[in-house]
Amino acid sequence: MIGPLLVTSLALVPVTWWLPLFVARVPFLWRQEVSIASGLGELWRLDRFLCLVVFAFSVLAPTVKGAALVWVWYRVPLARARGLLDRLALLGKLAMTEVFLLAVIIVGLKGVGIGTVETSWGLHLFVAVVVLSLACSTWAWAALPRR
């Protein structure tokens, strides 16, 4: 059961990059749905360094973590698997950092007082996928025999 869930969470991560996370509106002037992909595109235009940092945390870290978890689960001998999963725990924390960053951004935008910011269904699915990935990695680690 753990292996297929790891593969599922790995497959769902790229899907969440295109989902609307929130909608920012200024009445009668502007409305924009923001996804990870559109946010990265806008960041690339405004601040390339920040874009690379966000790319590392929101695209690269979850993808590498998911692929490494699937590889460890299916290909690594049990004797080495637990140690590798311990090292992968850092990437799981980085993915949760992204959820925190999104929450801070939404709260900050709401606090500006110009227009509104409404969370979209994609944000909830994104958080669910991140939590699924974290839960699967924790479950995989717990399922391995202790040394």
Side-chain angles (χ1 to χ4, degrees):
M1 180 82 170
I2 296 172
L5 282 174
L6 289 171
V7 171
T8 300
S9 68
L10 174 61
L12 287 175
V13 166
V15 172
T16 63
W17 300 334
W18 307 100
L19 301 179
L21 301 177
F22 58 89
V23 178
R25 295 176 192 187
V26 175
F28 306 109
L29 295 176
W30 178 72
R31 177 188 183 280
Q32 182 174 358
E33 284 188 345
V34 178
S35 67
I36 291 172
S38 68
L40 284 171
E42 188 65 21
L43 272 176
W44 184 257
R45 192 177 66 75
L46 297 172
D47 186 340
R48 292 195 175 161
F49 175 74
L50 184 57
C51 178
L52 293 174
V53 170
V54 171
F55 177 81
F57 285 108
S58 61
V59 174
L60 203 55
T63 304
V64 168
K65 176 197 169 220
L69 282 170
V70 169
W71 177 73
V72 167
W73 186 257
Y74 284 110
R75 297 287 180 206
V76 173
L78 283 177
R80 290 187 46 221
R82 192 171 200 71
L84 290 173
L85 287 178
D86 286 339
R87 291 185 194 110
L88 287 173
L90 174 63
L91 289 176
K93 291 174 185 172
L94 293 178
M96 288 306 293
T97 301
E98 181 188 10
V99 171
F100 175 74
L101 176 64
L102 282 170
V104 168
I105 290 170
I106 291 171
V107 169
L109 289 173
K110 284 186 173 191
V112 171
I114 301 172
T116 61
V117 176
E118 300 167 3
T119 59
S120 294
W121 62 273
L123 179 64
H124 304 290
L125 186 58
F126 170 75
V127 171
V129 168
V130 169
V131 169
L132 173 66
S133 176
L134 184 63
C136 287
S137 61
T138 303
W139 190 15
W141 184 84
L144 294 174
R146 306 234 186 260
R147 291 182 204 162

